[in-house]
Amino acid sequence: PGLVAAAYAVDDDAIGEKWRLERAVQQDESHARVVINGVSDRLCTAVVARVCGEVNEQYDPLVLGVDVQEVPGLGLDCYCRRTVQLSCEWCGVEGGKDAARKSLAPYLRDLSEKERTPSFLTHAARRLWHEKEDAVSGAVLAASSFLGSDAWFKARPKGTAVVASKALEANLYVCDYLGDVYPPYRWLEKLASTQAVRRLALGQQYADAVPPPEAFHNIALERPQQDPLGYALLWVDAGGRNASFASSLSHDCDGNVATSVRVDAEGNLGVALHTTRPIKAGEELAFDYAACTSSEREWREAICLCGAPSCRGSFVELVAADELQQCLKRAHNPLDAVALLLRACLPSQSTDYTKTLEQHGFKRAFFDCIDDHTPPVWLERYVAELISFLEFERGQLPYALLRYYGRDKEGENGSAAAVRARLVLEQRVQSLACAVSVARRVQRLTRETGEPLRMASSEEAAAVLRQRLLKLAVFAQRCSDLKLREALRSAHVPENATRRTCRDAMLACRTALLAYAADAPPPVAEEKKTKRLKTEDDPGLRLRQSALCAADALLLAAHTHTFVKVSRRGTATAPGVEVIRDDVGKFPCKSCDTKAPLYSDAVRTQPQDVLRVQERTYGPLAEVEALIRWHDADALADPDLGAGLLAVKDLRGCALLPDAADILEACRGGYDATLQRQLADALEDPVRRNRPWPDDVSRCFFPATIVDEWWGAPSLDAALESCAAAVLDVVKTLRNVTGSLESEIESAASSPTTQSEDPGDGALADALPDKPPSRWVACDLCEKWRRVPWHASIEIDENTSFKCADQVQWGVVPDEASCDIPEPSFGEDDVVFDCSSLPDAAIVEGAKVDARCGQTGCWFDARVISVERNDEGKAVKVGLHFVGWHKKFDEVYELPRDSEKLAPHRTFSSHNPTAKRIARGQAAVPSKQKKRKRSSGGATRKAAPSVTQGTRRRPAK
């Protein structure tokens, strides 16, 4: 029993120390400042809660009308408070920084209770000046006379306020925040039902445009981590009849009241309010709401009227702000959530996730399994994967905020960065609890707890490709254009066609479609991009542009390796929620549709009357969309959750493949070389490829919002395999099709990193958590390297025996598990980080090895020119000469210190020609030299025969 300051407590200093040690770039004074501020704030709140629990043994609440009283409240916005401060500085009066809310505002509130007075601070200043010649009042009057208006000193009404009738001591228990208690899923059902009724009463477009009425009467009740059932979330709504005067307390950025979780002797939970400092008689009681929102409109309308010097301007925190979303946008896109969810749904024998959940207090209560036996294992594993991102964001967001503020303001903003980062963490945890609660709600309503995602086998993947080709064949039969019908002839494949056969058919069909669209008009010039020619009047042009778009859709499908089956739970309906008219809005309303279905009923009813009992319907994809959008509380409260709209919006292109048949059927056109370059740029950027495609490109590729049951895309393969070879192959093909200039390709390839459109991405590039690497194994027969799928459980070492036919156990069809299949490409962005060490017996003079240059950091083939050995005969110093380089670049490697810089010959040196060209000062991409015309009498030189290199062998990557 007692008070708990923070129900969800994490070791901030340990997380900060972890990321400081792993990232050397963070080792500066800002690290110490942020950690100290975070730890001190956490300890201060814990000490205050403990002292309050020791002082108040009985927890007797204050009595309304005796100890406190409710009065009409008056507040000061930032502009009024700042005007008073500037007035005092102008007149040379000290203490004007906090004088507005400590003296003028309370005096004006007392005057308004006794007589009808204007709501201007100048009225209170005149009374105070005549009574005791207050210096602050004199400064306000002088500034008002100079400005010629009292409008600069206007006080704003803020509803009902609670003031102390007598002096109150510090650490005094005030009361409990009472109201109706909702579990997260039921609270979200109430919000969704209210929004649905708003659309019926105001009209669809007006309900989304007109802000809802202010109803900030809810507070989060968190079950402490120390509870035997673990951390959990509840919502207390004080808008009903069970509320106390606690819901009338106003917000203050520097309040004199704090909230804590109170646990009584019987284990019951409650939100307790207690004072943090002595309060004088007549002083207003207020606390920091610490509320969050992802709506910028709500954030702008929530104007704070506390008048404190540290006022933030709004009494809600916009967690969707760019500076607070840096880590989320950079390290956890919707595609990353799909990849994590798919990994969690695959069978695994590892139980490491249980330690992570236990460390953060996520037990049975968090998974809403108080009455059930155990939660689904895949859901526990998914939450454990998300916890790693929460720790990363908690460790990196303060530094990102300091970079956002600027190094010159680190001293004054160090505490603000720590507080805002902590607030974001709490909001993330609450949103995650809501998402898990919604998922469990859908499971109970549908009585299905299986994995929502399942990876397709090779036969199922081939069936998906055959189905897409079949749709093209059906479209070709109905098409009246004979040339297009001829181009789609390759879409006919047998029913038992393998995946490789379907891929070849798609590429052949794409070639034919490109030939069909070759006579399309050239792209619009740069100066005419804003005034593109409309294609509605030219059906032939629209059809050719759609053929070009369909050709690129086939290219993406042919380069997709992993397909995911999405389990549709079926439509489920939850019990209805009573929605009163006050929750909908004020009627009659000018900004609404008078012909809306419930508009007439809303006009006739009273504010507290029940307007409608609205049920919430969960769509077939409600569980998947809730788990993918776990960080967005507004999406969880959307009435259309599960209909597929959120999935199309978040995953179009990066996890959802466009359908070539649908593109040709819609025949929208508008796809040209400009949009094709935009698509190539988006796929080439390692950050942008994990995000939805640009709107202009998506409109051409996704004419309908229907979500297929099979997901997959080359970007998803890159996120799962940690290898972007397939995506880069697509980009290379698109670049060749668009016919870009060689100079543009060289400038793009010579840049060390591709710049993303988000300016905050570069600041976090060095701090991102490492993704699991791709693994490779060599065949014992053909010596070709095969990439091990990310889902295969195989231990690879030097003694691993592997043949290409063994790929069948990974799900590869027997036709493709053969030594005749070419070796997969090794991506330029892949980095070999582990290999078999160079044996000592191979280090002899004249031997060839691979060595990493100390000046360029690139691997080159080298020749051993000198060896120095110790008494035991082992090499301790090795002199190397890089083949093709001047002898002044020779280096000496000391062993075993530099053993990681040496590898067997042809391990790495043949894989990075681009890096070697850059190291030599040449262009990243060799330019094609024009052939000179020779005279008829000139001698011709015979080309020298090319030397065939030895068999290339690569270690595990």
Side-chain angles (χ1 to χ4, degrees):
L3 296 180
V4 180
Y8 178 78
V10 294
D11 197 353
D12 293 334
D13 49 349
I15 293 178
E17 183 69 12
K18 169 187 173 183
W19 290 105
R20 185 189 71 82
L21 294 177
E22 293 185 1
R23 313 295 170 184
V25 71
Q26 303 289 352
Q27 297 182 8
D28 51 16
E29 297 179 357
S30 62
H31 164 262
R33 185 180 299 109
V34 170
V35 171
I36 291 174
N37 290 328
V39 174
S40 61
D41 292 342
R42 177 165 53 89
L43 292 179
C44 288
T45 54
V47 169
V48 171
R50 182 172 181 178
V51 172
C52 182
E54 295 176 353
V55 172
N56 304 276
E57 298 180 356
Q58 302 298 328
Y59 292 103
D60 296 328
L62 301 181
V63 180
L64 183 63
V66 178
D67 301 320
V68 294
Q69 58 180 347
E70 293 181 345
V71 297
L74 288 176
L76 308 175
D77 56 19
C78 295
Y79 302 102
C80 181
R81 190 262 307 168
R82 181 61 175 167
T83 305
V84 174
Q85 180 181 353
L86 293 176
S87 301
C88 294
E89 294 177 359
W90 179 53
C91 297
V93 178
E94 298 180 357
K97 195 172 183 180
D98 201 17
R101 72 164 183 165
K102 286 188 175 181
S103 60
L104 296 179
Y107 191 83
L108 182 61
R109 185 188 64 232
D110 295 340
L111 287 179
S112 61
E113 295 180 8
K114 302 176 183 178
E115 57 186 59
R116 187 177 181 86
T117 59
S119 56
F120 294 100
L121 294 182
T122 52
H123 185 76
R126 293 188 185 95
R127 295 289 187 92
L128 287 174
W129 177 259
H130 291 300
E131 290 180 4
K132 52 182 180 181
E133 293 186 356
D134 182 58
V136 175
S137 301
V140 170
L141 293 176
S144 176
S145 177
F146 177 79
L147 296 173
S149 174
D150 295 341
W152 301 92
F153 304 94
K154 183 177 178 56
R156 312 282 180 178
K158 59 176 183 178
T160 304
V162 178
V163 298
S165 302
K166 60 181 182 180
L168 303 177
E169 59 183 5
N171 304 320
L172 180 65
Y173 170 70
V174 178
C175 66
D176 276 358
Y177 197 100
L178 302 180
D180 300 329
V181 181
Y182 294 87
Y185 68 86
R186 192 58 176 170
W187 176 250
L188 294 173
E189 288 175 359
K190 180 179 179 180
L191 297 180
S193 300
T194 303
Q195 181 64 17
V197 174
R198 279 175 52 83
R199 295 177 181 178
L200 294 175
L202 301 177
Q204 176 75 27
Q205 55 180 349
Y206 296 99
D208 298 334
V210 177
E214 296 183 2
F216 298 96
H217 298 297
N218 57 82
I219 194 171
L221 171 59
E222 297 174 298
R223 185 190 299 269
Q225 290 175 304
Q226 300 85 350
D227 192 280
L229 296 177
Y231 173 86
L233 178 66
L234 297 171
W235 290 97
V236 181
D237 183 20
R241 303 181 180 87
N242 300 324
S244 62
F245 69 88
S247 59
S248 299
L249 266 68
S250 302
H251 165 81
D252 197 320
C253 298
D254 187 20
N256 50 20
V257 176
T259 60
S260 300
V261 179
R262 185 171 70 89
V263 185
D264 61 11
E266 299 178 357
N268 299 320
L269 303 177
V271 180
L273 280 74
H274 53 85
T275 60
T276 58
R277 60 174 182 262
I279 300 177
K280 301 178 181 179
E283 185 178 353
E284 182 181 354
L285 277 68
F287 67 99
D288 190 350
Y289 286 175
C292 300
T293 182
S294 56
S295 173
E296 184 177 357
R297 182 184 59 191
E298 184 179 4
W299 170 70
R300 292 185 180 278
E301 293 173 354
I303 301 175
C304 181
L305 300 175
C306 67
S310 59
C311 179
R312 300 189 294 267
S314 177
F315 57 85
V316 296
E317 182 69 46
L318 181 62
V319 294
D322 293 338
E323 64 269 21
L324 299 181
Q325 295 285 341
Q326 298 179 69
C327 297
L328 184 68
K329 291 180 178 180
R330 186 64 176 82
H332 190 77
N333 292 294
L335 184 62
D336 297 323
V338 174
L340 292 179
L341 183 58
L342 181 58
R343 293 179 187 275
C345 292
L346 294 180
S348 176
Q349 301 297 329
S350 176
T351 58
D352 297 339
Y353 67 92
T354 56
K355 299 179 181 178
T356 304
L357 297 177
E358 184 72 21
Q359 180 182 359
H360 288 258
F362 293 166
K363 303 178 183 178
R364 294 174 57 189
F366 182 83
F367 295 96
D368 201 5
C369 294
I370 298 179
D371 299 331
D372 300 342
H373 297 289
T374 55
V377 177
W378 63 265
L379 186 57
E380 290 182 320
R381 294 179 58 191
Y382 179 64
V383 173
E385 292 287 347
L386 294 179
I387 288 177
S388 62
F389 166 73
L390 293 178
E391 292 181 347
F392 162 75
E393 187 177 35
R394 182 68 183 108
Q396 285 299 315
L397 186 57
Y399 308 113
L401 291 176
L402 288 179
R403 287 190 294 265
Y404 181 84
Y405 294 148
R407 290 289 181 180
D408 54 337
K409 297 183 179 180
E410 282 187 2
E412 59 183 280
N413 292 320
S415 178
V419 172
R420 298 187 74 187
R422 175 73 190 189
L423 189 62
V424 170
L425 174 66
E426 294 175 353
Q427 193 273 339
R428 295 274 192 261
V429 174
Q430 293 179 4
S431 297
L432 179 59
C434 292
V436 172
S437 181
V438 170
R440 294 289 293 155
R441 176 68 161 176
V442 175
Q443 293 173 7
R444 286 192 297 268
L445 291 176
T446 59
R447 298 182 180 180
E448 298 180 10
T449 59
E451 293 82 1
L453 300 181
R454 179 178 62 84
M455 195 181 68
S457 61
S458 297
E459 292 79 6
E460 291 175 332
V464 173
L465 298 181
R466 288 197 303 267
Q467 181 65 24
R468 291 178 177 268
L469 290 173
L470 178 61
K471 293 180 64 175
L472 276 178
V474 172
F475 172 79
Q477 295 177 358
R478 301 195 310 265
C479 181
S480 59
D481 193 325
L482 298 180
K483 292 184 179 181
L484 181 58
R485 183 184 301 180
E486 181 67 20
L488 297 177
R489 186 177 58 178
S490 302
H492 297 275
V493 293
E495 296 182 357
N496 58 348
T498 62
R499 186 171 181 174
R500 185 177 181 181
T501 303
C502 294
R503 182 179 183 273
D504 295 340
M506 285 184 169
L507 295 179
C509 190
R510 178 180 185 272
T511 304
L513 287 175
L514 291 177
Y516 172 80
D519 57 347
V524 185
E526 293 290 335
E527 61 272 13
K528 297 182 180 180
K529 281 186 177 180
T530 57
K531 298 180 180 179
R532 288 189 176 183
L533 297 177
K534 296 184 178 180
T535 61
E536 287 81 357
D537 300 334
D538 191 352
L541 178 59
R542 287 204 315 268
L543 190 57
R544 286 178 172 82
Q545 291 177 344
S546 299
L548 179 61
C549 185
D552 290 346
L554 291 175
L555 176 66
L556 293 168
H559 284 80
T560 301
H561 301 288
T562 303
F563 287 93
V564 180
K565 175 66 176 297
V566 183
S567 300
R568 295 177 177 267
R569 300 298 190 191
T571 304
T573 303
V577 177
E578 293 184 353
V579 180
I580 62 176
R581 205 196 75 173
D582 263 357
D583 294 337
V584 177
K586 297 181 180 180
F587 292 89
C589 180
K590 296 181 180 179
S591 301
C592 64
D593 186 6
T594 57
K595 297 181 180 180
L598 293 181
Y599 179 79
S600 300
D601 297 340
V603 173
R604 291 193 298 265
T605 55
Q606 298 298 323
Q608 294 297 324
D609 292 345
V610 177
L611 184 58
R612 185 185 177 93
V613 179
Q614 181 67 29
E615 298 177 346
R616 182 179 189 180
T617 301
Y618 294 97
L621 300 176
E623 181 182 19
V624 176
E625 289 183 347
L627 295 177
I628 294 176
R629 294 292 292 268
W630 62 271
H631 51 82
D632 190 355
D634 291 343
L636 300 176
D638 193 337
D640 298 329
L641 181 68
L645 300 179
L646 294 178
V648 173
K649 179 181 178 182
D650 294 342
L651 304 175
R652 56 189 181 188
C654 59
L656 297 179
L657 275 178
D659 196 319
D662 294 341
I663 295 173
L664 294 174
E665 189 75 31
C667 194
R668 288 186 176 182
Y671 186 72
D672 52 11
T674 302
L675 295 182
Q676 201 172 34
R677 283 193 294 269
Q678 291 183 13
L679 175 61
D681 295 340
L683 293 177
E684 189 176 17
D685 193 323
V687 177
R688 292 172 58 192
R689 77 166 66 112
N690 293 343
R691 299 174 181 173
W693 285 356
D695 294 337
D696 294 341
V697 179
S698 298
R699 276 192 292 268
C700 298
F701 279 93
F702 297 93
T705 57
I706 301 176
V707 182
D708 192 8
E709 63 178 355
W710 292 99
W711 294 2
S715 299
L716 181 60
D717 294 334
L720 292 172
E721 297 278 1
S722 299
C723 179
V727 181
L728 296 181
D729 290 343
V730 174
V731 173
K732 182 178 180 181
T733 306
L734 292 176
R735 299 289 190 194
N736 294 336
V737 171
T738 55
S740 301
L741 296 177
E742 294 180 1
S743 59
E744 296 180 0
I745 298 179
E746 291 181 6
S747 61
S750 61
S751 59
T753 56
T754 305
Q755 296 295 331
S756 176
E757 60 182 2
D758 193 346
D761 290 343
L764 293 171
D766 297 333
L768 288 177
D770 296 330
K771 292 186 177 181
S774 58
R775 299 179 298 167
W776 294 70
V777 62
C779 176
D780 296 338
L781 300 179
C782 64
E783 297 185 353
K784 294 180 181 178
W785 284 91
R786 305 299 181 187
R787 183 185 291 113
V788 181
W790 59 274
H791 56 84
S793 57
I794 178 176
E795 297 295 335
I796 301 176
D797 53 22
E798 298 179 357
N799 300 323
T800 301
S801 176
F802 171 77
K803 300 178 179 60
C804 291
D806 296 340
Q807 298 179 83
V808 177
Q809 61 184 346
W810 300 340
V812 181
V813 294
D815 295 342
E816 299 181 4
S818 172
C819 293
D820 298 333
I821 304 299
E823 185 180 36
S825 59
F826 180 61
E828 295 181 0
D829 60 340
D830 290 336
V831 177
V832 181
F833 69 94
D834 190 11
C835 66
S836 56
S837 59
L838 183 66
D840 186 78
I843 305 178
V844 294
E845 293 186 6
K848 287 188 175 182
V849 297
D850 278 4
R852 188 170 64 185
C853 178
Q855 298 182 9
T856 63
C858 301
W859 288 88
F860 300 96
D861 49 343
R863 185 176 68 253
V864 180
I865 56 177
S866 64
V867 180
E868 181 179 341
R869 301 182 181 275
N870 57 9
D871 298 338
E872 299 177 359
K874 293 184 179 182
V876 292
K877 287 187 179 182
V878 181
L880 297 178
H881 169 72
F882 296 104
V883 179
W885 290 72
H886 194 272
K887 62 180 181 180
K888 67 179 181 180
F889 295 105
D890 295 351
E891 294 187 14
V892 177
Y893 294 81
E894 296 183 6
L895 301 180
R897 185 193 66 182
D898 299 331
S899 58
E900 296 181 354
K901 299 180 180 180
L902 301 178
H905 191 224
R906 294 305 178 197
T907 300
F908 309 123
S909 59
S910 60
H911 303 153
N912 55 355
T914 302
K916 292 198 293 185
R917 283 192 294 269
I918 295 177
R920 293 189 176 101
Q922 302 173 1
V925 177
S927 59
K928 297 181 180 179
Q929 298 180 357
K930 296 182 179 180
K931 296 182 179 180
R932 295 182 179 180
K933 293 183 178 180
R934 297 181 179 270
S935 60
S936 58
T940 58
R941 179 178 298 180
K942 192 174 182 180
S946 59
V947 180
T948 305
Q949 305 255 353
T951 303
R952 220 171 32 169
R953 297 187 60 85
R954 287 198 296 265
K957 303 191 265 295

